Amino acid sequence: LLGDLGVNVNLAPVADVSTDPNDFIYSRSFGQGGEETAEYVVTVMEQFQKQKISAVLKHFPGYGSNSDTHAGASIDKRTLAELKNRDLVPFQQGIDEGAYAIMVSHNTVACMDEKLPASLSPAVHKYLRENMGFTGIIMTDDLSMEAIAGQDFGLEHDVYVQAVLAGNDVILCSDYQTAYQSILDAVNDGTISEERLNRSVFRILSWKCMLNLM
């Protein structure tokens, strides 16, 4: 159906691990453990790719039992060991099987970065690249959600520019005119380097090639 409509990217599957019906993310998740969720993620991803549709695994590094980031800030206080043994399993399996794109959540994951939400955190992006070996597209969740738009992080730059500096290749936002102008201004004043832009542009063009769009 998506292919017939001309849609070539789907922001799915949800790779979050949740087995507790009380979790916010439970109804959107596979509802099983890490290994079962990993198998589900890879199966869905492979079927998408056969249809020339790119899957986007979300929400890195795993939602867990955290609260709804559409409505406000959420702090994940779990240890890195807990994430590795459970929530990171589906993402790592997806990466190992050739995932093209991953969406990063707005949860503040304390074991990686106590200050910034994952979507704006250079440390979280570095972990995804260097520790998990991901070379594809990283994108934010919607920056208009209250976990971002309703918070003051004391940033030197606005959230759109920070998202680029953190390492995102694609930015999801509702106010795209403001985001575009903000990033353009940051490029023109040297805050965002051409080299930084080129890295993302290269990944995006490579993504298009893999989808036979170029």
Side-chain angles (χ1 to χ4, degrees):
L1 175 61
L2 292 176
D4 288 344
L5 291 171
V7 175
N8 49 45
V9 172
N10 190 4
L11 302 184
V14 171
D16 301 297
V17 177
S18 175
T19 56
D20 185 348
N22 294 314
D23 292 346
F24 160 72
I25 204 67
Y26 177 80
S27 63
R28 298 174 61 188
S29 74
F30 190 56
Q32 302 294 321
E35 297 296 335
E36 295 88 349
T37 302
E39 182 179 359
Y40 157 75
V41 164
V42 170
T43 300
V44 171
M45 186 179 74
E46 289 176 345
Q47 292 304 313
F48 280 11
Q49 291 174 355
K50 287 180 181 178
Q51 301 296 326
K52 305 300 181 184
I53 295 174
S54 181
V56 179
L57 279 57
K58 62 182 186 182
H59 307 77
F60 185 83
Y63 219 97
S65 59
N66 292 287
S67 58
D68 182 3
T69 52
H70 296 83
S74 179
I75 301 177
D76 189 335
K77 297 183 179 180
R78 292 175 295 172
T79 66
L80 184 57
E82 289 177 294
L83 291 177
K84 284 182 177 180
N85 291 333
R86 176 180 164 98
D87 293 65
L88 292 179
V89 173
F91 290 99
Q92 188 65 70
Q93 189 67 32
I95 291 169
D96 293 344
E97 296 295 332
Y100 293 159
I102 290 177
M103 179 189 289
V104 181
S105 79
H106 294 324
N107 289 306
T108 299
V109 184
C111 65
M112 295 182 180
D113 188 333
E114 293 183 342
K115 179 182 178 182
L116 294 175
S119 55
L120 303 181
S121 170
V124 171
H125 289 72
K126 182 178 181 181
Y127 188 92
L128 181 53
R129 294 285 187 209
E130 297 185 4
N131 293 71
M132 301 187 71
F134 184 59
T135 60
I137 296 289
I138 301 178
M139 67 176 68
T140 70
D141 207 339
D142 188 348
L143 293 176
S144 299
M145 291 162 60
E146 283 299 304
I148 300 296
Q151 311 301 316
D152 180 7
F153 301 108
L155 297 170
E156 183 179 354
H157 311 289
D158 66 27
V159 294
Y160 307 115
V161 174
Q162 178 62 32
V164 175
L165 295 176
N168 293 287
D169 302 300
V170 174
I171 292 172
L172 271 61
C173 61
S174 301
D175 189 2
Y176 62 88
Q177 297 97 331
T178 300
Y180 170 81
Q181 190 60 52
S182 177
I183 292 170
L184 181 61
D185 291 342
V187 172
N188 288 333
D189 69 20
T191 300
I192 297 174
S193 68
E194 185 172 351
E195 178 188 9
R196 169 66 193 89
L197 279 186
N198 285 342
R199 289 200 298 271
S200 287
V201 170
F202 177 81
R203 292 189 189 106
I204 292 167
L205 293 178
S206 298
W207 194 22
K208 290 185 176 185
C209 286
M210 288 186 284
L211 290 170
N212 292 326
L213 299 178
M214 295 178 64

